[in-house]
Structure formats: C-alpha cells, structure tokens
Amino acid sequence: MTTVSTVEQLEAIYGVPAEPSLVKETDYVTPEYARYIAASPFAVLATAGPEGLDCSPRGDKPGFVRIVDPRTLMLPDRHGNNRIDSLRNIVAVPRVALLFLVPGSGVTLRVNGTAQISIAADLLDSFKMEGKPPRSVLAIAVQSVYFQCARALIRSDLWNPHRHVDPKTLPSAGQILSAITDARVGGEAYDRAWPQRAKETMW
C-alpha cells in the first residue's frame, strides 16, 4: 500500500485550493449562513476526547440550534441513550464541530468552535418542548463557519425519495441487539416497545 505521510505530499496531489474555497470561511455567523442554521432540522456534532472520537446526530425542529449572536450558538441536548459520549469529550476537550444539513439543499454548513455545557435553569427553560426542558445546553463559541459545496449530496442523491431504502430490508435495532448479546436482549420485545418508548421520551 502506498500511503501519504506529509502535508507536502498532500499538496502535491491536490494542488492549491481555488479562491472561493478560502474566502468562504468566516469567524462568525454571517446573515447568509444564519439562514442555513435557521432552516436546518438536523446536524452532526463531532467531538474528541481522551476516550476517543464521537460523531453524534442531533435533530429537532428547524432552527433548533439557536443563534444568540454571530459568534455564539446554543444547542439543546435532548433525551437520548445516556451514553453522553459527546458530553464526556467536551468536558475534557471543548473543541467541537457541527455539520448542518437542510433537506432538499445540496449545500451543507460547517461550524467549528469550542463548547461549554450549561445547566442554567433559565436557559434550559427557554428550550422547553412539550413542557420538557433539555438536561443541558451546549454554548458554542464560533471560531470558523463555511459552506461545503453540493458534490457529496449530488453524488449520493441523498434527497431523492426514489433512492430511499426500505427499512424492512435492514436489520432492526432489536435484531442487532439480539445478535450481539446472543439473544440476552430480546430483540422482538425491544422493537415492539420502541415506538411507544420513543413517543414518551422524545423530549
């Protein structure tokens, strides 16, 4: 296997980025970038810490990531599986990255910065959904913002409903758990209980 081990090798292969690839990056949320954040119902949160890397989906109503000002974002941490991998990482290493997707748009938005975990009661209350506050909110200090061109989404044809996979052709969560645990976790029971459990713990 021939591998690349230096930046010089990379630059020789990829060349120099075009001007738009560089000037699109800002250290604050511009009004144009704010429109993407406000329209996005889904983002991926990336963190790193002593225990490794984590890349975690975050989803809610469009605009669920609040723009406090051009250099500050707030991201509520809704109900989940309590692994808190991302939060553990942020406690140790506060660097974070967000990748925003907007259904139907090929452009994605990337935000890099640092995060603190807030449990201020008034802040949690301001993010209530159906009367339920998140258990914490990430206060993200923005360091860089830039859009990613549409090539990846065009190649993947991600938003094309005709390309959607029938979930029944894939293993269910219960089937995966049953196989991993040699049926110690009852897969059928898990799958049966999931819709109601999700409904009761969505927020």
Side-chain angles (χ1 to χ4, degrees):
M1 180 188 299
T2 303
T3 60
V4 175
S5 57
T6 68
V7 173
E8 290 74 18
Q9 287 176 299
L10 281 174
E11 291 176 343
I13 295 168
Y14 286 93
V16 178
E19 183 181 12
S21 296
L22 300 176
V23 300
K24 67 183 178 182
E25 183 175 352
T26 65
D27 61 359
Y28 66 100
V29 178
T30 69
E32 294 77 18
Y33 285 157
R35 290 174 64 183
Y36 276 90
I37 295 173
S40 174
F42 182 85
V44 179
L45 172 67
T47 61
E51 298 179 9
L53 304 175
D54 187 65
C55 194
S56 178
R58 293 290 191 269
D60 217 320
K61 305 298 183 184
F64 71 100
V65 175
R66 181 180 298 169
I67 303 171
V68 178
D69 58 55
R71 298 182 187 276
T72 310
L73 303 179
M74 295 285 186
L75 169 60
D77 190 66
R78 300 292 183 193
H79 195 98
N81 57 19
N82 293 331
R83 285 181 56 105
I84 57 174
D85 296 311
S86 298
L87 301 183
R88 292 178 194 276
N89 283 347
I90 289 169
V91 166
V93 180
R95 294 172 61 191
V96 298
L98 284 167
L99 176 67
F100 289 94
L101 281 79
V102 179
S105 172
V107 174
T108 57
L109 187 70
R110 298 170 66 168
V111 176
N112 297 326
T114 59
Q116 293 180 312
I117 303 170
S118 175
I119 55 171
D122 56 344
L123 181 61
L124 299 183
D125 284 344
S126 74
F127 279 97
K128 279 183 178 178
M129 290 293 291
E130 297 185 1
K132 299 177 182 178
R135 282 179 286 185
S136 66
V137 171
L138 295 184
I140 300 171
V142 174
Q143 294 177 336
S144 68
V145 187
Y146 54 99
F147 70 87
Q148 192 79 24
C149 75
R151 289 188 186 91
L153 272 71
I154 292 172
R155 286 191 293 255
S156 66
D157 206 10
L158 183 64
W159 306 126
N160 183 354
H162 300 295
R163 297 286 300 275
H164 289 182
V165 174
D166 181 355
K168 293 178 182 177
T169 66
L170 299 171
S172 69
Q175 289 169 336
I176 293 170
L177 288 169
S178 181
I180 290 173
T181 63
D182 291 328
R184 187 175 72 255
V185 174
E188 290 185 11
Y190 183 94
D191 287 339
R192 262 196 320 273
W194 163 245
Q196 185 62 30
R197 183 167 66 251
K199 182 179 179 181
E200 293 173 353
T201 61
M202 187 60 63
W203 310 111

